[in-house]
Amino acid sequence: MDLYLIRHARAEDREIGRGDAERALTRDGKKRFQRCARGLERLGVGFDRIHHSPLLRALETADLLVPLCDGETIVTLHLARAPAQALLDELERSCAQLGASGVDADAARIALVGHEPYLSQLCAWLAIGWRVFDDPEQAGLLQLEKGGVAHLSGDPRPGAMTLRSLWTPAALREIGKR
Amino acid sequence: MISPSHWLEHLRNHLAVARAGDDPEGVHQLRVAAGRLSVWLELAGRRALRDDLAWLRRSASGVRDLDVLLARAKNECGKLGEWRGWLAAQRDEKRVQLVRVLDSPRLAALLAALSTLPPLAPAEADARLACFSRRVRRAASRLRAGAREEEKKHDAAALHRARRALRRWRYALEWTGADASEIKRWQEDLGELNDRAVLLRHLDASPIAAQLGELREETVRQLDARGDALYKRWRKHGRRSAR
């Protein structure tokens, strides 16, 4: 499968009296991420399914990716917390469902829209095979910027995926311009 | 501003009733709340969460259809009593699936996500209303075109599309505070037609279908008569309503 880990776009600052989950994308964050989405489109990236965290900034980012998606969007709690086996199980199920609906399960394209540091932890876990970010000294080794995208391929199991590309939002916007 | 919080609360309140299964109203209200929230999302120009709400609605629909049929057939005996038993077994099976959905992490995530949504500006909602009525006109013309061809006369998919479009339009009008009473009447008429289409589907699927010929014939007769009357009325008054 092709897995795209996508960090939400720029959101409003934290404010007293408003929960972290309710932080929406800023107007500029939306605009910039639309250009990132255009960059992804230019690169020929598309999705069969988008899983996203329930936090407002992630679901608004998922909304901006819908034009690239041929299938469903699915909200999941597993993307709002540190990566765990439950998330990988959900990916397996998603792949099987896509397979049953006629999509080649080996070539399924799934986007995960979520947050840091969870996405880079997931990326490392899937590509290297161990939870390197459990070690605080290793934190920051890999980090997705807001609106950044990591592309992996392979089976969604620890150590069974290959990191194919890592796109910064600036690079995607630049590609989107051309 | 138009906040989704009232219907989110309604959804939360009926989840427990739907899970308990003692009152069919729980499943019905769960579907209604999911449908209304989905329309709110469309009025807000949001796409994410609509598939999750559709999944919840679909899961509840199987139970709801069978609850309605069972309520209508509650005093049946003989062959129809046997059919009623089959319906009850089908409903129990669907209920097990629904309870699984109600206990799923996906539903917990959906509720969490819905509670983060900010209210919607009325002008933004008004600007999207026209899409809903356009969809009704399109669905109605497909339904009418199908009704002219004998083999498509009971096209359940076309009927479903028309009902869905009408229901969503009504909810959209209600979210914006507009009068939806005329649309509600059309929706009720189409609902009655659909009840017969559902009945027909469950008669045909029954293991004793061959022995239920009389009820089937009567159902087909009613479907034809009500369908024709409805199409005629739509030609006369409906297009005006859909403007």
Side-chain angles (χ1 to χ4, degrees):
Chain A
M1 76 158 25
D2 283 294
L3 189 65
Y4 297 88
L5 311 184
I6 303 172
R7 188 178 177 193
H8 66 82
R10 192 173 296 278
E12 292 164 344
D13 293 333
R14 286 167 202 270
E15 241 177 58
I16 296 169
R18 184 181 55 197
D20 177 56
E22 293 159 24
R23 287 199 289 131
L25 297 187
T26 61
R27 188 187 292 249
D28 186 51
K30 274 186 195 169
K31 243 194 245 168
R32 283 165 158 258
F33 191 76
Q34 271 166 342
R35 295 208 291 266
C36 292
R38 257 202 305 277
L40 286 172
E41 195 179 1
R42 288 270 162 86
L43 288 165
V45 173
F47 313 117
D48 298 307
R49 197 170 261 200
I50 299 173
H51 292 250
H52 62 87
S53 126
L55 276 57
L56 185 57
R57 53 192 183 276
L59 79 91
E60 289 191 336
T61 305
D63 260 337
L64 298 173
L65 291 166
V66 163
L68 304 185
C69 182
D70 298 328
E72 274 188 296
T73 68
I74 292 179
V75 63
T76 174
L77 292 170
H78 303 311
L79 283 166
R81 49 178 74 141
Q85 186 56 44
L87 174 60
L88 306 189
D89 293 344
E90 185 170 322
L91 278 176
E92 288 271 13
R93 273 198 304 278
S94 211
C95 237
Q97 285 165 2
L98 286 169
S101 70
V103 173
D104 176 2
D106 290 335
R109 304 156 307 160
I110 295 182
L112 303 183
V113 183
H115 312 271
E116 280 293 72
Y118 308 142
L119 288 178
S120 46
Q121 289 175 351
L122 177 64
C123 185
W125 194 28
L126 289 171
I128 303 169
W130 78 90
R131 300 171 64 95
V132 60
F133 291 90
D134 285 347
D135 177 356
E137 283 185 16
Q138 305 279 1
L141 192 69
L142 172 70
Q143 203 167 35
L144 276 178
E145 286 178 53
K146 291 188 177 94
V149 179
H151 171 207
L152 299 114
S153 66
D155 287 333
R157 285 183 287 109
M161 297 199 94
T162 304
L163 180 60
R164 296 282 174 199
S165 341
L166 201 53
W167 292 304
T168 63
L172 287 173
R173 284 196 301 272
E174 195 55 40
I175 295 165
K177 262 193 226 164
R178 286 179 203 154
Chain B
M1 297 296 268
I2 308 170
S3 168
S5 56
H6 168 75
W7 282 100
L8 176 57
E9 208 44 44
H10 193 83
L11 175 62
R12 283 186 199 280
N13 290 341
H14 285 88
L15 286 174
V17 186
R19 187 183 280 107
D22 304 325
D23 181 359
E25 197 59 16
V27 175
H28 176 50
Q29 291 304 323
L30 186 152
R31 284 177 76 226
V32 170
R36 286 184 185 270
L37 288 165
S38 170
V39 168
W40 184 92
L41 287 169
E42 191 174 346
L43 286 170
R46 296 182 184 275
R47 176 62 179 70
L49 304 183
R50 281 171 53 197
D51 291 331
D52 303 285
L53 284 166
W55 158 79
L56 177 61
R57 232 187 111 80
R58 255 193 328 270
S59 310
S61 292
V63 177
R64 176 64 189 164
D65 283 350
L66 288 157
D67 275 342
V68 170
L69 285 181
L70 280 164
R72 290 197 171 179
K74 70 176 173 203
N75 296 322
E76 300 296 355
C77 49
K79 279 291 153 213
L80 288 177
E82 203 178 309
W83 176 64
R84 189 185 187 285
W86 175 78
L87 285 179
Q90 296 285 306
R91 194 264 318 268
D92 293 347
E93 208 174 288
K94 297 272 181 197
R95 264 203 58 74
V96 171
Q97 290 165 14
L98 176 62
V99 169
R100 236 177 265 147
V101 163
L102 298 181
D103 291 335
S104 68
R106 185 176 179 184
L107 180 61
L110 173 61
L111 295 173
L114 287 169
S115 66
T116 70
L117 296 168
L120 157 70
E124 206 184 327
D126 286 342
R128 294 200 171 93
L129 267 181
C131 303
F132 290 87
S133 58
R134 260 202 306 274
R135 228 173 278 149
V136 169
R137 284 197 297 271
R138 258 200 317 266
S141 66
R142 269 194 220 124
L143 196 57
R144 274 202 315 275
R148 282 186 222 115
E149 298 171 45
E150 197 52 42
E151 71 276 16
K152 285 193 191 163
K153 202 152 188 175
H154 305 126
D155 185 349
L159 182 59
H160 173 75
R161 267 196 301 273
R163 277 185 72 228
R164 182 176 186 274
L166 211 53
R167 182 185 69 238
R168 291 184 72 84
W169 188 27
R170 173 191 157 194
Y171 290 168
L173 287 170
E174 287 174 350
W175 274 116
T176 59
D179 177 22
S181 50
E182 201 178 337
I183 307 304
K184 192 177 170 191
R185 277 195 295 277
W186 283 109
Q187 193 198 352
E188 282 164 359
D189 288 347
L190 217 49
E192 279 193 27
L193 200 62
N194 183 65
D195 284 350
R196 279 158 183 83
V198 171
L199 171 61
L200 191 61
R201 199 171 69 231
H202 284 89
L203 283 171
D204 289 343
S206 158
I208 55 163
Q211 297 164 57
L212 301 169
E214 210 174 304
L215 178 57
R216 190 185 191 284
E217 268 173 38
E218 176 56 24
T219 306
V220 169
R221 244 196 319 275
Q222 286 180 357
L223 249 178
D224 285 347
R226 281 176 183 265
D228 287 345
L230 197 62
Y231 303 140
K232 273 182 201 144
R233 227 156 34 82
W234 179 265
R235 264 203 299 275
K236 208 166 168 189
H237 309 290
R239 277 180 281 206
R240 181 176 45 79
S241 316
R243 263 178 219 134

